Amino acid sequence: MNLQQELNKAGGFKNLDLLAKQVVEGFIAGMHKSPFHGFSAEFAEHKIYNQGESTKHIDWKLYAKTDRLYTKRYDEETNLRCHLIVDRSASMHYPEAAGFTIDKLNKIAFSALACASLMHILKKQRDAVGLSIYSDTYDFYAPEKGSERHHYMLLDKLSETVVSKSESQTTETYKYLHQIAEKIHRRSLIFLFTDMFQTSEDDEKLFEALRHLKHNKHEVVLFHVYDKEKELTFQFDNRPKRFIDVETGDFINLYPDNIKENYEKAVKSYFENLKLKCGQYRIKYVEADINQGFNQILTTYMIERQKFV
């Protein structure tokens, strides 16, 4: 299957579920050299078979290797719950493009496919997943469930999010994170996808909201989604350009090389401060460059899942 053929060049995904499956299968196929050797997207782990239990889930292949009976332990037994949060503010639709290719996604499309890939694993492991999407409003909320119908409803919403752009000039992230935190009552893994480009609140308010997400012993992972080439290292040819703030509409005309050095210093300082703050609040911070694929996302999930008890 050519993944690029599954992208709708009119804007958005033709089949997000199929793309997610391809991403996960590619990741699992490459894990034979990783610490997660033996992971299966079908179940979470094994447990020793106890006499009198149903033999339905006995792993006979493992019995042939070990001469001991084990059953596949599904995660509905461990009751793992996961909540995905997606920032769909105007800046998340950068860079703008007439259409996508699998190796050329903007930030919101990358986040949607990353979420769909996580959902694919969660579904296979019988886990419950919920979704929140915000921009200038709290656009969408769905509680954690594990049904097939729920799964496809979330996929449809993610696909819609890729093509529906917020026109607002402000994004009050802290406000919506507080609201989301109030809705998640049972202990969950929480994954937040955002570019952390805010205009209407200071960092303290934002990190207080992130700390609120950690209440009830939730584990929070912040995936900092950005285009490293353009937004961090400022790789533009040195011709006159107009740079427009997609959040506020403000613009400036200049030669990129004239500000490249100062820009890089400022942004790197901002990124380092984010990492430091996340460390102080015990929030896992993960850089998610949209040009580097999804292995970092899925590897982080694997690590956090193993730690989540």
Side-chain angles (χ1 to χ4, degrees), residues 177-237:
L177 293 184
H178 279 303
Q179 292 180 20
I180 293 166
E182 292 294 334
K183 288 179 176 290
I184 306 174
H185 302 295
R186 296 179 62 183
R187 185 167 181 257
S188 303
L189 270 173
I190 300 175
F191 296 103
L192 169 61
F193 291 83
T194 176
D195 59 7
M196 295 297 287
F197 289 144
Q198 317 300 329
T199 58
S200 62
E201 70 265 7
D202 59 43
D203 288 345
E204 287 304 318
K205 284 185 178 180
L206 180 58
F207 278 96
E208 281 300 317
L210 287 170
R211 189 166 70 172
H212 189 186
L213 277 179
K214 283 183 66 68
H215 84 309
N216 287 343
K217 298 183 179 180
H218 300 314
E219 293 297 328
V220 178
V221 178
L222 191 159
F223 286 116
H224 187 189
V225 183
Y226 65 94
D227 183 336
K228 182 176 182 179
E229 182 180 304
K230 296 293 191 295
E231 294 180 319
L232 180 60
T233 58
F234 210 64
Q235 298 296 319
F236 294 94
D237 58 80

